[in-house]
Each structure stands twice: as C-alpha cells, then as structure tokens.
Amino acid sequence: MVAAPSASDPSSAGRVPIAPQQVDSPLTRSAIFLVLTITDRDGAVEAVKEVIGGIEDLVKTVGFRDLPAQLSCTVGIGAGVWSQLTGMPAPAELHPFKEVRGAVHTAVSTPGDLLFHIRCDRQDMCFEFERLLLESLGDAVATVDETAGFRYFDARDLLGFIDGTANPIGPDLPASTLVGEEDPEFAGGSYVVIQKYLHSLSAWQSLPTEQQEAIIGRRKADDLEMADAEHGQKAHKTLATITDDAGEHDILRDNMPFGSPAAGEFGTYFIGYSRHLWVTEKMLERMFIGDPPGLHDRILDFSQPRTGCVFFAPSADLLSGLAD
C-alpha cells in the first residue's frame, strides 16, 4: 500500500500518515470489475455504508486462505451517491463521467454508483469474495455490469500489445495516483475512470503488423516505443500522453482483457487511477476528438467503449469510518 503524497511533505510533519486503499495492488492474474447502483429500498444506503466500511475485514476473511495470492478490493464511490454515503462535500474534481463526442466515435457515459475492483492471482478467490460481497449487500444494490478479467500471456491485451508499460513507478506512483495537499480533506484518495471496450478483433488482425504498430506507437514483439509522428495522425501512446508546463502527468492503469470466444466477444476493461481527474479526461478528449481535432485515435476504429463511469476511491481511513 503506497503512502499518500502528503505523508512525505515537510508541511505534514507530525501528522499521522493517511492510509490509501490498495490502488497500487500488484498486477494479478485475475480481476473482477463490479459496477453497482444503490436501490431505493428503505435502509439501502445504511446497508451499503456498513458493508463498504468493513470491506477490509472481508478481504482478510477470504484472503487469509492463500495470502501469497494477494487478494485486494478497491472501492470507488460515484458522484451521485457520494454525499448520501459519506455526509461530506464531494472531492474537488468528482463528477459523473462526461460524454466525449468526436466526429466519428463517442466515449459514452453509463450509470454506476459503486465500483468494486477485485484483484487476486486466483480466480476462485475473486469469485468467492464477490459472492460474499453481494450476499452482504443483498437487495440494497442492483448490478449494472460484472466483468471478469484475466492476465493474457506477458501482460498483453487481446490486440496483441503489452498494456500498461507507461505506468508510473517508485515515488512517481503515489504522486500520480493519490490526492495530496491540494484537497486535504480527501488526501490519500484517487479518482477512478472505467470503460469497457469491445474489439473488432477480426478487422484488427487483418491489418499488417506495421500498421498496428503505427496505430499503437510501440513495436509489437518487444514493446519498444516508436518515434512520434511530427505531423498529422498521432499514435495512441502519443495521444494518451499529457504534458503541460509542469511536465508529464501520469495515471496508473490496471487494464484487463476479457471475453468469450464462443460469443465472439473480445475486449479490454480500462481502469485508470489518477491524482487529478482532468488528466484522464484530457486523454479521452485527445483520443476521441483528436489532436488536432478530426484526427481521432485510430485504435477506436477497432475498439468501441460500451461503458463509462467516474468514481472516487477514498482513503482506507475514510472508507472504514463509514461503518461508524
């Protein structure tokens, strides 16, 4: 578990470090992305508060069966229910997912009050955790989407490219993912954006490898970064790189492939954790509208988003306090 940026800030000397949730959980072989809404039944909000406030106890109960399997669950709360669940004003940047409509493709906005990002090296433990979680929540919630992801070979997506190479590491990780002194009431929290992409795999596979590499901006075999185009169409890796006068702004991705060959479904579940929501939103704007406008990310010609939600993953301290 990483330390919040404020923990190393000289102005925070003498304070008790804020414990974030495990947004930086190590890459695992399996994951479940569970998006729920809260129902209007009497007592639903209080029931949800009790369950998510005690989520670490459930992680310990299930995870103790195989500690090396590294079971974790990160909880995200949407803008629509934030005040009901926490009784607090919203974090500075929290709002519902904003649809991004380009000339050709649209990043859609879909419902979601709660996100449970369940990760483990064992699929059966992800399954058992989700089963017990939903049993605890009962009819206080309704399921919007449940997607089971898997690690594909050497961390590749179903398009055949290694995914997540640009993730921050070392001290850059908490600096990129955890809110700090700029919003002290919510320090140690993280903004989370999720999108469920479905791939036109046969169309993608019909492209020569050289064209695929030009679209992604990396070599397929060894993942080496290719030179940026000086003019015209930019590669995916370039459009997803956000820089300003302060330098480059990173996010943490823990994307997972998912699918069903029998159903002809092949996809990537995008999940990005960031200290500043505007960074991820700027990435999506550049992808869907283009930079310059009109030259959208060509990966979207083969990968279409079916969902889009924004959540805030509060610190572990704030989350556990909801049960009190």
Side-chain angles (χ1 to χ4, degrees), residues 241-250 278-279:
T241 300
I242 306 302
T243 58
D244 60 15
D245 293 341
E248 185 172 334
H249 298 274
D250 293 325
W278 71 262
V279 175

Side-chain angles (χ1 to χ4, degrees), residues 20 26 29 36 49 63 124 165 233 254 273 305 313:
R29 299 186 63 83
L36 309 175
K49 287 171 62 175
D124 59 339
T165 305
Q233 180 66 55
D254 198 357
Y273 291 94

Side-chain angles (χ1 to χ4, degrees), residues 100-118:
V100 183
R101 184 175 294 275
V104 180
H105 302 291
T106 299
V108 297
S109 176
T110 53
D113 292 335
L114 300 166
L115 167 70
F116 295 92
H117 183 194
I118 306 164

Side-chain angles (χ1 to χ4, degrees), residues 218-232:
R218 290 184 177 274
R219 296 199 317 213
K220 194 170 187 178
D222 55 21
D223 195 40
L224 283 181
E225 191 171 315
M226 298 167 63
D228 295 331
E230 293 185 11
H231 306 287

